[in-house]
Amino acid sequence: MEKYISIGVAGHVDHGKTSLVHCLSGVNTDRMKAEKKRGLSIETGIARLSLPSGKNVALVDVPGHTDFLKNTVRGLSAVDMAVLVVAADDGVMPQTVEHLKILEFLNVQGGIAVISKSDLADPETLELAGLETEELVQGTFLEGKPFFAFSAKDEKGKTEILAALDRETALLKGKETEAPFRLRIDQVRSFPGIGTVISGTVLSGILHKDDILELLPSGLKTRARSLEVHGIKTDRVSAGQRAGINLHRVSAENLCRGMMLSPPGETPCTRLLNAEICMGEQQSALLKNRQKVRLFPGTSMIAATVLLMEKEELRAGEKGLAQFRCESLLPCIPGEHFVISLMNVPAVIGGGRILEIPECKFRPSKAAKIIPWLRTVREKNIPALLDRVPEIISLDAEKLSRRTGLPRKAFASEIESRIRKGHLVEISGCGIFRKDVYEHTLTAVQEIIRSTLKDDPMKSSMNAAEIRKKAGEEPLTDLLIRHLLAELEEKGKIVREKGGYCLPNLECELSAKHRDITKQLLDFAETAGVRPFSVHAAWKNCPNPCSKSEVERLLDYLSRKQQLTCLNNRRFLSPRALEEIKGRVRDFILQKGSMHPGDSAKLLGYGRMGAVPVLEYLDKIGFTFRKGDDRLLKEKYADRA
């Protein structure tokens, strides 16, 4: 398949970039009135160029003035190679250096250098400009690349430059056509009778006329009503091409630069990005932990807070892992390169590559897991990545590919191999997990139950929702937590109790204060005798200062320990009182043949309303059974008498 290449034309203001583009392509990219009036580029200009071999490329002429830095970055964000322009009469200037840094941060791989305005310099000055440029590009992607003297006045060097561009483009791989279609918008226009047309470089994939698209981050669905490449209508556009897309039923007010177009559901939007940052070499380059910056991924520009993972600051020339917390949602692709500038200073201080779209915020407590994982993502080592997955997540090839930007097929192949070897656990309905991580999570769930109940002895058990919440940032799904609990229960590690889970034979010790209160509650229960008492009554008669909820929880605790009996109306009895009641009821039934709730006033000293819960409890424990409204003794108790 044919590859399409974009070439960024970069350099200091008034160094002849636009004149070079005009000479090579015949297109004047300064079209705005303000540009013509001021004699400098403000917006990025695009020109189609036919090379001697017949290949068509796009020249991207970016502004050279520091006031228009954001337009420069946007213009260079998707180029495959570069032409660095240095005026012979000026030599290397501040924006020459900055533009080269931007190209480096954006991972541009090929290009040439042009010493422009050669007609304005004598041979010695021309040679000096060349030496300065050669020194500047040492250690960069332009080291060893050809240099050409050029004059727009007499077109000296034009033929050589075109031939060099032909050779350089042949060395480039071009953008990925197999990936989903993605395009970041860099221009928005509205035409009467046509509607809204956006422009941008196709970052990946192929788009056909009438394909359905999603506008991100808004989520608005639309359709590619018509397509153009350099003003020529076409039925499809491919990775690397400069495309104009007429969007169906989308007004220009709903669009802005930096938005992304892709098929629905293909590109995630996020506020969190894990990345590697590389600082520039200039002495002023300094980035502090939790500092706010302007982040430029592609044609987007967004304010973000930087959380450095390995140190408190990055200085000139240093690298480090970091998380960007963006102020708004951002459509993003792992593997995408970016640059950063300070909030109020139009100067690039660094750049780097997005390593992954994380599922949660970075915390220093997670550094021991996250940092090795990100280093492995940086190395693009898929087998090592599967060994370092930092959470219990299902090893789904599609999800891992989206998270890291690495090939789905490579993940799928490695996962299948590990399933065959028994290194992965496949759980129906839940997914595929690393065996060691799964077993560690089983232990962690058991420990969550143990430590929680140990810390709060009055708590009898934990339900699945509580356990999931206690697991913190580990992404345990409802289905997975239920499976983990079922396995622990099957192995006898936990037991069910009152709708929750606890550990068998777990001994928990109350605090000194609560031990004193329980003694007072047991004393009160003895004084209450056979009359069941409420939580409120126990609280009112408790001399130790405590809350009503504390008393209620302690009564439940004593009930679980079988030191009190809890009836279904939340009234309580002491063991001695229960035995006394059982004796009275047994004697009464043996004498009368049965007991009716109406007999309770004479027998127990309180009426039917208070007696029914007592009688129902006796039924529950198998002491009596109900026949109509009457109670009879279970046979074994009648025989014992």
Side-chain angles (χ1 to χ4, degrees):
M1 183 173 287
E2 186 178 358
K3 63 183 178 184
Y4 299 97
I5 302 297
S6 293
I7 304 172
V9 183
H12 194 75
V13 64
D14 199 33
H15 272 205
K17 298 185 297 299
T18 303
S19 297
L20 172 63
V21 171
H22 183 252
C23 178
L24 295 177
S25 67
V27 177
N28 183 359
T29 54
D30 279 352
R31 296 178 179 178
M32 297 169 56
K33 288 182 180 179
E35 291 177 319
K36 293 182 179 184
K37 183 177 179 180
R38 296 179 63 177
L40 55 82
S41 298
I42 297 173
E43 293 283 355
T44 295
I46 309 295
R48 178 188 178 188
L49 172 63
S50 293
L51 295 172
S53 64
K55 289 184 293 189
N56 291 317
V57 299
L59 294 177
V60 183
D61 177 20
V62 299
H65 199 286
T66 187
D67 287 352
F68 310 114
L69 174 68
K70 63 182 180 182
N71 292 339
T72 301
V73 174
R74 285 168 168 162
L76 296 177
S77 65
V79 301
D80 304 288
M81 59 177 283
V83 176
L84 184 67
V85 180
V86 182
D89 57 341
D90 268 352
V92 172
M93 296 291 282
Q95 262 51 63
T96 316
V97 178
E98 182 156 65
H99 285 204
L100 182 60
K101 283 191 303 183
I102 292 169
L103 292 165
E104 282 272 284
F105 291 140
L106 295 175
N107 198 40
V108 174
Q109 293 297 311
I112 63 172
V114 169
I115 310 301
S116 63
K117 301 187 180 183
S118 61
D119 57 295
L120 299 181
D122 56 46
E124 186 178 341
T125 305
L126 187 62
E127 183 182 6
L128 182 61
L131 290 171
E132 282 185 352
T133 306
E134 188 174 5
E135 184 180 354
L136 173 66
V137 302
Q138 284 181 4
T140 74
F141 70 98
L142 285 178
E143 184 175 6
K145 296 295 183 180
F147 284 43
F148 299 94
F150 171 75
S151 169
K153 188 173 182 180
D154 58 12
E155 298 191 350
K156 176 186 175 182
K158 175 181 176 180
T159 303
E160 291 82 358
I161 291 170
L162 288 171
L165 293 177
D166 228 344
R167 290 192 300 273
E168 286 294 315
T169 55
L171 300 174
L172 297 174
K173 180 183 177 183
K175 292 182 169 59
E176 181 59 60
T177 56
E178 297 299 319
F181 172 82
R182 293 187 180 99
L183 176 146
R184 282 198 187 275
I185 297 172
D186 59 28
Q187 288 183 2
V188 179
R189 289 168 291 179
S190 186
F191 298 97
I194 296 175
T196 303
V197 176
I198 63 90
S199 300
T201 300
V202 181
L203 302 175
S204 62
I206 296 172
L207 178 71
H208 295 87
K209 180 183 174 184
D210 291 324
D211 280 354
I212 302 300
L213 293 169
E214 184 176 20
L215 182 65
L216 300 169
S218 69
L220 187 67
K221 303 296 191 298
T222 183
R223 175 171 59 85
R225 194 158 65 177
S226 64
L227 304 171
E228 287 187 359
V229 175
H230 296 297
I232 300 170
K233 289 203 170 187
T234 181
D235 287 334
R236 78 167 199 174
V237 292
S238 186
Q241 287 186 301
R242 287 289 309 176
I245 306 175
N246 180 203
L247 298 178
H248 180 63
R249 290 189 176 178
V250 178
S251 66
E253 290 75 22
N254 292 325
L255 298 166
C256 65
R257 290 174 177 175
M259 283 184 161
M260 183 177 282
L261 284 169
S262 73
E266 284 292 349
T267 302
C269 290
T270 181
R271 282 187 168 87
L272 302 176
L273 297 168
N274 286 346
E276 181 181 43
I277 297 175
C278 307
M279 297 300 292
E281 298 290 343
Q282 69 272 33
Q283 289 185 347
S284 59
L286 175 65
L287 184 63
K288 295 182 178 180
N289 190 26
R290 296 190 174 274
Q291 186 171 346
K292 275 197 172 183
V293 297
R294 290 197 186 281
L295 174 66
F296 294 85
T299 59
S300 296
M301 180 182 72
I302 195 166
T305 301
V306 182
L307 276 86
L308 299 177
M309 296 184 182
E310 299 164 296
K311 51 179 72 176
E312 283 301 306
E313 62 181 28
L314 290 177
R315 295 185 173 274
E318 292 185 337
K319 294 182 179 181
L321 298 173
Q323 183 172 94
F324 290 105
R325 295 184 184 173
C326 303
E327 290 193 351
S328 57
L329 277 175
L330 176 73
C332 213
I333 314 160
E336 196 169 10
H337 288 78
F338 61 86
V339 298
I340 52 175
S341 70
L342 300 178
M343 288 297 291
N344 300 311
V345 181
V348 170
I349 62 166
R353 181 165 68 95
I354 296 165
L355 298 178
E356 71 160 346
I357 298 173
E359 297 186 349
C360 57
K361 291 181 177 180
F362 171 76
R363 307 287 186 198
S365 61
K366 299 282 186 181
K369 290 183 178 180
I370 298 298
I371 291 173
W373 159 262
L374 290 177
R375 287 173 178 165
T376 311
V377 174
R378 181 179 61 196
E379 295 160 6
K380 303 181 181 180
N381 186 336
I382 286 175
L385 271 177
L386 293 179
D387 290 334
R388 291 182 182 266
V389 174
E391 314 102 348
I392 181 158
I393 64 169
S394 175
L395 300 182
D396 179 275
E398 183 66 32
K399 289 180 180 177
L400 287 167
S401 177
R402 288 192 181 203
R403 177 172 173 172
T404 63
L406 300 177
R408 187 199 66 79
K409 288 181 180 178
F411 275 117
S413 175
E414 184 66 21
I415 288 170
E416 287 170 11
S417 171
R418 293 187 179 208
I419 290 174
R420 288 194 299 270
K421 294 175 182 176
H423 297 163
L424 299 179
V425 179
E426 190 166 9
I427 300 169
S428 177
C430 295
I432 301 166
F433 303 90
R434 265 178 43 200
K435 190 174 181 180
D436 59 330
V437 174
Y438 178 79
E439 290 176 350
H440 170 79
T441 307
L442 276 173
T443 304
V445 168
Q446 189 178 345
E447 175 58 24
I448 285 169
I449 299 171
R450 190 201 69 79
S451 61
T452 303
L453 299 184
K454 202 80 171 166
D455 291 343
D456 187 0
M458 290 186 286
K459 188 175 180 66
S460 63
S461 63
M462 293 183 72
N463 61 37
E466 290 176 303
I467 296 166
R468 184 180 178 188
K469 186 177 180 181
K470 281 274 188 180
E473 294 179 348
E474 298 290 351
L476 299 176
T477 63
D478 287 336
L479 195 60
L480 180 57
I481 197 74
R482 287 201 297 271
H483 180 89
L484 292 165
L485 292 168
E487 183 166 336
L488 287 169
E489 186 179 6
E490 186 180 339
K491 290 178 176 179
K493 302 291 186 181
I494 60 174
V495 292
R496 286 180 185 263
E497 183 174 307
K498 294 185 178 179
Y501 299 87
C502 64
L503 271 62
N505 305 317
L506 179 66
E507 292 296 329
C508 303
E509 187 175 344
L510 294 173
S511 67
K513 173 190 172 183
H514 287 152
R515 286 198 299 272
D516 287 344
I517 297 173
T518 56
K519 185 178 182 307
Q520 292 163 12
L521 292 174
L522 291 172
D523 290 344
F524 174 72
E526 290 297 331
T527 61
V530 297
R531 183 177 293 274
F533 61 91
S534 66
V535 172
H536 183 79
W539 175 56
K540 281 292 187 182
N541 286 276
C542 187
N544 223 25
C546 58
S547 68
K548 188 174 179 178
S549 64
E550 277 183 290
V551 168
E552 183 171 20
R553 295 181 72 202
L554 284 168
L555 289 171
D556 286 335
Y557 170 80
L558 291 169
S559 174
R560 291 196 303 274
K561 294 291 185 181
Q562 298 182 340
Q563 292 178 270
L564 290 177
T565 296
C566 180
L567 306 176
N568 60 19
N569 65 345
R570 297 291 294 159
R571 296 299 201 267
F572 296 85
L573 288 167
S574 72
R576 188 194 301 273
L578 182 61
E579 289 304 315
E580 174 69 20
I581 290 171
K582 287 166 70 177
R584 293 185 191 183
V585 169
R586 182 173 57 242
D587 292 345
F588 186 89
I589 294 174
L590 289 173
Q591 183 181 357
K592 301 291 186 181
S594 66
M595 178 186 172
H596 189 276
D599 298 324
S600 60
K602 180 180 178 182
L603 183 62
L604 302 175
Y606 43 86
R608 179 190 186 105
M609 184 175 293
V612 167
V614 174
L615 296 176
E616 287 176 347
Y617 181 78
L618 295 179
D619 295 342
K620 180 181 174 182
I621 63 174
F623 183 77
T624 57
F625 67 95
R626 183 173 175 177
K627 187 174 182 180
D629 286 339
D630 292 333
R631 257 67 182 191
L632 302 176
L633 283 176
K634 281 283 187 177
E635 187 175 343
K636 60 181 178 179
Y637 295 108
D639 290 346
R640 187 179 300 172

